[in-house]
Amino acid sequence: MYVSSALRRMLSGLLLCSLRVAATQELRYPPNRIAVIGAGIGGTSAAYFLRQKFGKDIHIDVFEKDNVGGRLATIEMEGNHYEAGGSVIHPLNLHMKTFVKDLGLNARTPSGDLLGIYNGDEFVFQESEWFLINIIKMIWNYGLNFLRMYMWVEDILDKFMRIYRYQTFDYSFSTTESLLHAMGGDDFISKLNMTIDEAMQKSGFTQRFIDDIVVPAMRVNYGQGVKINGFVGAVSLAGTDSGLWAVAGGNKLVCSGLLYASKAQLIQGTVTSVQEKFRSTKPGNTVKLYEIGYVTDRGPGLDLYDIVIIATPLNKNLGNIEFVGFEPPIETSSGPYQQTVATFVHGRINASFFGCSKPCQFPLSEILTTDSPKLFIRSISAVSPVNPVPESDTSKASGLRVWKIFSPDVLTDQQLRQLFESYHAVKVRNWLAYPRYSPPEKIPPIKLHRAIYYLNSIEWAASAMEMSAIAAKNVALLSYHQWYGKDEHIDQEDLADRLKSEL
Ligand SMILES: Cc1cc2nc3c(=O)[nH]c(=O)nc-3n(C[C@H](O)[C@H](O)[C@H](O)COP(=O)(O)OP(=O)(O)OC[C@H]3O[C@@H](n4cnc5c(N)ncnc54)[C@H](O)[C@@H]3O)c2cc1C
Ligand SMILES: *[C@@H]1O[C@H](CO)[C@@H](O)[C@H](O)[C@H]1NC(C)=O
Ligand SMILES: *[C@@H]1O[C@H](CO)[C@@H](O)[C@H](O)[C@H]1NC(C)=O
C-alpha cells in the first residue's frame, strides 16, 4: 500500500515535471502557417525573410486588398510610367540593394537636376551648372553649414549601418526603441523626443540654414516642416545625398519579385479581423492559433495561423483591422497619417510664376519650397519614366516636360493654370503617405500579442522603403527566436562591441 502510493506520488511528480517542461516548450513544434497582412515592401520582404528563416515547409499566405507594392506604385501617363509613391533609394540601403541584385532587377539613376529653393517671392538658393560656383554660393550664404550637415548625416549613417551586421548575425529586437538603441544608443533614442529643428540647433546649425535648406528637404520628403522628429529628419537629410537610385521598371517590381521568390500564396482580399482560437489536437493538448477573417471577391473567409505579421499601418483609414476578444485589448489606433497629393502634368512650366520675367533663363528642373503661406505646392520637379526613353531634343527645346508636384491638397484648375503656361495631361494620386510626426514620438509596439507582430511600428521612427525592409527582417528573426525560445538572440546589449571581434 505504502509503497504503491509513494510510487504513485513519484509518478505524478514526474508527470507534472514533464508537463511543466511541455508547458515551457509548448511552442517549440515547428509552426505550420504564417499570415502576412499587406503586400507593400514591408509585407513582401517579410514573406521573403520568413521563408529564409523558417524553411521550405512552412505555408505563408500574404493578404493584399489592393495592389502588390502598396505605397510603391507607378502612374501611367501617355504611355509612360512614373513613380507616384516611394521613389528614391539611398546608395547605402543594403536590403533594397540586395533585393534588386538577387531578383535580377536593375537600378536606374535619375538624372542630376538643377535645384532651386523658392520662398514664394524669390529663390533663396539656386544651383548652377558650375560646380565651383555652387561651392562658392554655399559658403558665401551658409558658411560651413553644408559641410557640417554632410558630416552630421555621415555620422548617423555610420551608426545606422550597424543594423545589417546585427541582422547577419541573427540578432533581433522586440521594440523599435531597442532596435534604434542598438544602432545609435541614447543619441538615437533621444532624437525621437526632439524636433529636427532642435536637434540641429543643438549641433550648431544656423537658423537661416535650417529655414532655407532643411525645411525644404523635409517638405519634399515627408510633407512636413522641421517639427518632425530628429530621427526621421536625419533620414530625410540622407535623402539629399548624391547617388540616389530607383529600380528600372518601377520600385514595385521589388515587391512582386520578393513575393514570387518567397513562394508565398497571395490572397487578394481585405483582412477584417484577427481573433485567438484554441484547438485541441489530442485529449488534454490544446494549441493556440489565430483566426483571420477576410473578404475576397468570392465572399468572406476564415483561416487559422500560428503567426501573424501585420505589414500595414493600423489606422482606421489604412489597415482597418479589428482585434476581437483580446484581453488586454490590442491598442491599434496609431496617430494620423499625412496627406500628400502627387500630381503629374505634361506641360510647359510658367517661369514667371517663380519670379522669372520674360525672356527668362529657367534651367531648373527641381524646385523645393520653404514654409511660406503663399505657396500651395511643396515641390515640383521634372521626372523621367521608370523605363528610360531617350528624351527627344525637340521636346526639351520646347520646354515640354512631365512634372511631378507634391501638394497638401488636390490642385484646382486655376492653380494649375498659374503653374503652367500650357499643359495637356494631368494625373493625380492622393496618398496618406507617412505618419504625421510630432515628438516626443509615441512608437507603437512591435509585438502586439504572443505571436502577432506589427511591422509598421518602425514608421513612427521614420518611414522609408529600407526602414520597412529592416523591420521585416527583424520581425522574421524575432518571430523565429520567440517561437523557439532563443532569448539570447533578442534585445542583446552592446552588440556593436561584441560583434567587433567576429569576422
Ligand atoms: C508620395 C510618397 C513618396 C515617398 N517617397 C519615398 C522615397 O523617395 N523613398 C523612400 O524610401 N520612401 C518613400 N516613401 C515612403 C515609402 O513609400 C513607404 O515607407 C513604404 O512604401 C511603406 O511600405 P509598407 O509595406 O510598410 O506599407 P504599404 O506600402 O502601405 O503596404 C501596406 C499594404 O497593405 C495593404 N492593406 C492594408 N490594409 C489591409 C487589409 N486590411 N487587408 C489586406 N491588405 C491590406 C495595402 O493595400 C498596402 O498595399 C514615400 C511615400 C509616399 C506616399
Ligand atoms: C522621451 O519622452 C518620453 C515621454 O515624453 C519619456 O518617457 C522618455 O523617457 C524620453 N526619453 C528620452 C531618452 O529622453
Ligand atoms: C504665370 O504666372 C504669372 C505670375 O504669377 C501669372 O500672372 C500668370 O497668369 C501665369 N500664367 C500664365 C499662363 O502665364
Side-chain angles (χ1 to χ4, degrees):
M1 245 348 220
Y2 176 73
V3 171
S4 89
S5 84
L7 202 69
R8 215 178 300 140
R9 221 176 307 133
M10 223 172 79
L11 272 174
S12 71
L14 256 176
L15 206 71
L16 262 179
C17 216
S18 64
L19 270 181
R20 222 170 277 139
V21 170
T24 55
Q25 295 198 333
E26 178 184 47
L27 293 177
R28 298 191 188 174
Y29 60 88
N32 292 316
R33 293 163 59 82
I34 303 182
V36 176
I37 305 173
I41 185 65
T44 54
S45 57
Y48 185 77
F49 290 129
L50 285 162
R51 173 68 67 207
Q52 283 184 350
K53 198 64 206 160
F54 283 88
K56 64 176 175 26
D57 290 331
I58 197 158
H59 179 91
I60 304 174
D61 282 339
V62 176
F63 291 89
E64 174 53 56
K65 69 173 174 186
D66 205 341
N67 293 318
V68 171
R71 275 172 277 170
L72 305 187
T74 52
I75 206 166
E76 191 267 343
M77 204 160 88
E78 300 173 308
N80 286 319
H81 297 260
Y82 302 88
E83 292 290 358
S87 56
V88 291
I89 304 166
H90 192 274
L92 292 178
N93 285 170
L94 297 192
H95 284 318
M96 290 302 293
K97 240 177 148 160
T98 310
F99 294 155
V100 165
K101 186 165 147 276
D102 290 353
L103 296 172
L105 296 167
N106 293 305
R108 72 182 172 98
T109 36
S111 55
D113 290 333
L114 290 187
L115 170 96
I117 296 176
Y118 187 62
N119 72 1
D121 295 312
E122 57 178 353
F123 283 94
V124 295
F125 180 78
Q126 192 168 344
E127 243 178 349
S128 95
E129 293 183 43
W130 303 96
F131 180 73
L132 210 57
I133 293 185
N134 289 331
I135 299 287
I136 292 168
K137 271 193 199 169
M138 284 175 174
I139 293 177
W140 182 261
N141 288 315
Y142 304 103
L144 292 179
N145 276 271
F146 270 105
L147 181 65
R148 185 180 289 171
M149 177 172 85
Y150 176 79
M151 285 159 50
W152 197 72
V153 170
E154 194 79 345
D155 179 55
I156 292 169
L157 261 172
D158 259 3
K159 293 175 179 156
F160 186 92
M161 299 299 285
R162 291 176 180 160
I163 190 63
Y164 300 113
R165 204 164 159 74
Y166 304 158
Q167 294 191 328
T168 303
F169 281 93
D170 226 26
Y171 288 100
S172 63
F173 305 92
S174 66
T175 63
T176 295
E177 286 91 338
S178 88
L179 187 149
L180 293 188
H181 192 268
M183 292 186 201
D186 291 340
D187 181 43
F188 269 28
I189 297 286
S190 68
K191 284 197 167 51
L192 298 174
N193 270 10
M194 57 175 105
T195 63
I196 183 70
D197 192 21
E198 289 162 350
M200 293 188 82
Q201 286 193 27
K202 231 178 64 179
S203 301
F205 291 90
T206 64
Q207 194 62 53
R208 178 174 177 209
F209 181 75
I210 294 174
D211 292 343
D212 287 1
I213 306 296
V214 180
V215 167
M218 303 302 130
R219 281 164 65 81
V220 66
N221 287 329
Y222 288 102
Q224 301 159 72
V226 284
K227 296 292 174 245
I228 65 178
N229 80 62
F231 187 77
V232 67
V235 167
S236 179
L237 286 179
T240 64
D241 275 354
S242 57
L244 300 180
W245 58 283
V247 180
N251 294 331
K252 66 179 181 183
L253 293 184
V254 174
C255 300
S256 45
L258 289 171
L259 189 63
Y260 181 80
S262 75
K263 299 196 167 66
Q265 177 180 311
L266 175 66
I267 299 179
Q268 202 67 68
T270 303
V271 172
T272 52
S273 67
V274 180
Q275 186 170 7
E276 195 172 26
K277 292 279 163 162
F278 301 92
R279 288 279 177 279
S280 48
T281 44
K282 47 183 189 269
N285 192 1
T286 56
V287 285
K288 300 174 184 167
L289 296 160
Y290 296 107
E291 184 184 75
I292 287 192
Y294 59 95
V295 185
T296 69
D297 285 349
R298 282 167 293 149
L302 289 172
D303 265 317
L304 290 166
Y305 298 92
D306 299 291
I307 296 173
V308 175
I309 314 284
I310 302 197
T312 168
L314 285 172
N315 176 300
K316 275 272 173 304
N317 302 310
L318 291 162
N320 193 1
I321 298 166
E322 194 189 354
F323 293 88
V324 183
F326 287 94
E327 201 53 56
I330 293 180
E331 198 45 69
T332 61
S333 57
S334 79
Y337 269 59
Q338 179 78 339
Q339 172 168 293
T340 289
V341 179
T343 307
F344 292 79
V345 178
H346 196 184
R348 246 178 231 101
I349 198 166
N350 177 8
S352 41
F353 181 81
F354 295 98
C356 186
S357 50
K358 279 186 178 167
C360 137
Q361 279 282 335
F362 197 73
L364 301 180
S365 44
E366 178 164 17
I367 299 169
L368 308 187
T369 61
T370 62
D371 190 6
S372 159
K374 282 189 187 168
L375 292 165
F376 53 83
I377 63 166
R378 296 188 190 130
S379 65
I380 175 167
S381 49
V383 288
S384 36
V386 294
N387 286 310
V389 288
E391 199 177 359
S392 74
D393 287 341
T394 50
S395 84
K396 214 174 194 170
S398 66
L400 206 58
R401 305 179 81 172
V402 175
W403 297 86
K404 173 156 92 174
I405 303 151
F406 282 147
S407 60
D409 299 298
V410 176
L411 299 175
T412 63
D413 284 351
Q414 200 216 335
Q415 288 170 332
L416 284 175
R417 279 197 301 272
Q418 274 179 274
L419 268 177
F420 291 92
E421 269 178 23
S422 64
Y423 61 91
H424 59 270
V426 180
K427 280 277 173 84
V428 181
R429 177 86 200 234
N430 196 342
W431 296 102
L432 284 174
Y434 13 65
R436 190 176 301 155
Y437 296 105
S438 162
E441 221 70 80
K442 193 172 163 286
I443 312 280
I446 291 176
K447 191 173 173 180
L448 298 181
H449 195 251
R450 183 174 45 78
I452 305 181
Y453 299 92
Y454 183 27
L455 215 142
N456 292 69
S457 159
I458 207 159
E459 273 197 86
W460 287 89
S463 172
M465 295 175 232
E466 185 72 8
M467 296 302 289
S468 290
I470 287 172
K473 175 131 194 191
N474 181 57
V475 157
L477 295 174
L478 180 65
S479 59
Y480 182 88
H481 295 321
Q482 292 197 321
W483 188 274
Y484 290 107
K486 294 184 192 294
D487 290 348
E488 71 282 5
H489 276 97
I490 303 171
D491 292 335
Q492 294 298 301
E493 299 280 340
D494 302 323
L495 282 179
D497 286 335
R498 278 165 52 188
L499 293 182
K500 248 182 207 139
S501 51
E502 312 263 345
L503 286 177

